Amino acid sequence: MESVRAVLIDIDGVLTVSWRPLPGAVEALREVREAGFAVLLVTNTTSRTRASIAGALAEAGFPVSAGDILTAPAATAAYLAEHCPGARCALLNSGDIAEDLDGVTVVEVGDTGTVPEVVLVGGAGPEFGYAELDRAFGHLQRGARLVAMHRNLYWRTSEGLRLDSGAFLAGLERAARVEAEITGKPSRAFFASALALLGVGAHEAVMVGDDVESDVLAAQRAGVTGVLVRTGKFQPETLRDADGTPDHVIDSFADLPALLRGSGQQ
């Protein structure tokens, strides 16, 4: 940990559950910042903009602003600008994220005269009904690219685990015989963007998350030290069956300051 200068932190399941702070998380984040570490919250949340997320976290006591947050939608806008600038996109997402999709041309659902060049998949919700998925399938059959903000299968809420868009994405890929381009976690490009925003190298950063595959092992493949927390969506069997081993496992984000000092649980 001696070389660490920056901390990447997932939000849902690490700092909060259903936007309520987990025990000790607010205090731990303050301690990390006061110790001089650069902080960036990196999230696949697709139901809120960075400003909305920052507002909810600040209200809960977390010392963050919109500039401290990198969302999958924001990363997606940058990806589309580089790889398919000006493309017409059919968006399938739950929540209003227009503010973070700056520069992206979204085709309205009722616009039958415009042919989308990209099917853009965000987070799941009531919008993921048969008609909407079948419409997306039709666009893919006609040659549209499939771009997804993440592959998350589920997330943790105060009422338990809820199904996410990764489950629907797998069906679209198989039915249309295409492979989605992923812009959020676990893509290497997402972590590269996060490191660039902080101005640090991969060996100078740690990633703290509750998803062993998308958060922790993905970060480790990008050269970032991975820290798994036993909160949020964490399940012992998921860790047991994972494709690799986290660099560190701690009970919760509250234990991170001790780990950064070199005295935490390994």
Side-chain angles (χ1 to χ4, degrees):
M1 288 292 178
E2 292 81 1
S3 64
V4 172
R5 296 172 47 211
V7 183
L8 310 179
I9 309 166
D10 183 34
I11 298 174
D12 192 24
V14 178
L15 298 179
T16 67
V17 168
S18 295
W19 300 104
R20 291 195 289 270
L22 287 166
V26 171
E27 296 79 8
L29 183 57
R30 290 188 183 278
E31 189 173 345
V32 168
R33 303 204 86 147
E34 290 169 0
F37 293 97
V39 169
L40 186 68
L41 308 188
V42 290
T43 176
N44 276 347
T45 297
T46 54
S47 60
R48 292 176 177 242
T49 63
R50 284 175 293 180
S52 174
I53 292 170
L57 292 176
E59 185 175 339
F62 289 101
V64 299
S65 65
D68 298 319
I69 301 170
L70 175 62
T71 65
T76 299
Y79 180 89
L80 292 172
E82 178 180 355
H83 294 276
C84 37
R88 300 179 297 274
C89 301
L91 176 63
L92 183 56
N93 180 70
S94 185
D96 182 7
I97 54 173
E99 184 180 317
D100 278 1
L101 289 177
D102 186 40
V104 177
T105 302
V106 176
V107 177
E108 298 297 330
V109 173
D111 184 354
T112 57
T114 302
V115 179
E117 298 159 296
V118 173
V119 170
L120 184 55
V121 179
E127 295 80 1
F128 280 61
Y130 176 80
E132 292 78 13
L133 288 165
D134 187 54
R135 186 180 300 113
F137 175 54
H139 296 325
L140 295 173
Q141 287 183 298
R142 288 185 286 274
R145 295 168 67 164
L146 179 59
V147 176
M149 298 183 196
H150 60 73
R151 284 191 180 278
N152 293 4
L153 295 173
Y154 49 83
W155 78 96
R156 171 76 63 182
T157 73
S158 58
E159 299 175 350
L161 296 178
R162 301 295 298 271
L163 195 66
D164 210 342
S165 55
F168 301 99
L169 182 63
L172 285 174
E173 287 181 309
R174 185 168 180 181
R177 298 183 180 181
V178 298
E179 184 175 349
E181 304 164 47
I182 308 299
T183 56
K185 295 176 294 181
S187 74
R188 186 179 292 265
F190 185 86
F191 289 103
S193 296
L195 295 172
L197 285 173
L198 292 174
V200 299
H203 67 286
E204 298 175 301
V206 299
M207 170 67 209
V208 187
D210 65 328
D211 188 317
V212 65
E213 296 288 351
S214 293
D215 291 337
V216 180
L217 297 183
Q220 290 178 194
R221 286 191 288 272
V224 177
T225 298
V227 180
L228 178 67
V229 293
R230 296 189 182 97
T231 56
K233 68 171 66 172
F234 170 83
Q235 298 182 89
E237 58 271 25
T238 305
L239 174 58
R240 183 190 64 232
D241 298 336
D243 289 335
T245 303
D247 292 319
H248 303 276
V249 180
I250 58 179
D251 285 337
S252 73
F253 188 77
D255 298 319
L256 183 67
L259 179 64
L260 293 174
R261 291 193 299 268
S263 59
Q265 178 181 353
Q266 303 295 310

